[in-house]
Amino acid sequence: MKSSNTSHASAEPSAAALSLRQLSVADWQRFGAGEIAYLRPVLVNGERAIAIHAADGTPIGAAPSEDLAIAAILQHELAPALVH
């Protein structure tokens, strides 16, 4: 009797994953434009800081901590996303 257990992921990429792989750089840059701001840890003058970027990668600010960066993003009615 065959098991009906579907908890194991297929090695085949899903249709959604294949669609995402076909997006152009410009499409990725527009993804979330006007809705998402990305946080990225950086060094500024040798000090740790958090850079804030628009969805298209344009730098829009910086803050000394992640909490302050998130507060600034939320104040401008954007959704924060962390980039590693």
Side-chain angles (χ1 to χ4, degrees):
M1 181 193 286
K2 287 189 174 183
S3 170
S4 62
N5 184 352
T6 59
S7 65
H8 296 290
S10 170
E12 295 294 318
S14 68
L18 290 173
S19 294
L20 290 174
R21 289 181 185 165
Q22 295 173 358
L23 288 176
S24 69
V25 171
D27 289 335
W28 276 112
Q29 289 176 333
R30 287 188 295 272
F31 186 73
E35 298 173 14
I36 298 172
Y38 294 96
L39 304 172
R40 187 172 61 91
V42 294
L43 288 177
V44 176
N45 297 326
E47 299 289 325
R48 293 178 136 203
I50 303 296
I52 304 170
H53 295 269
D56 67 358
T58 302
I60 57 175
S65 72
E66 188 174 314
D67 289 340
L68 288 175
I70 290 171
I73 291 168
L74 293 173
Q75 185 176 19
H76 289 89
E77 299 180 357
L78 298 169
L82 182 62
V83 175
H84 296 274

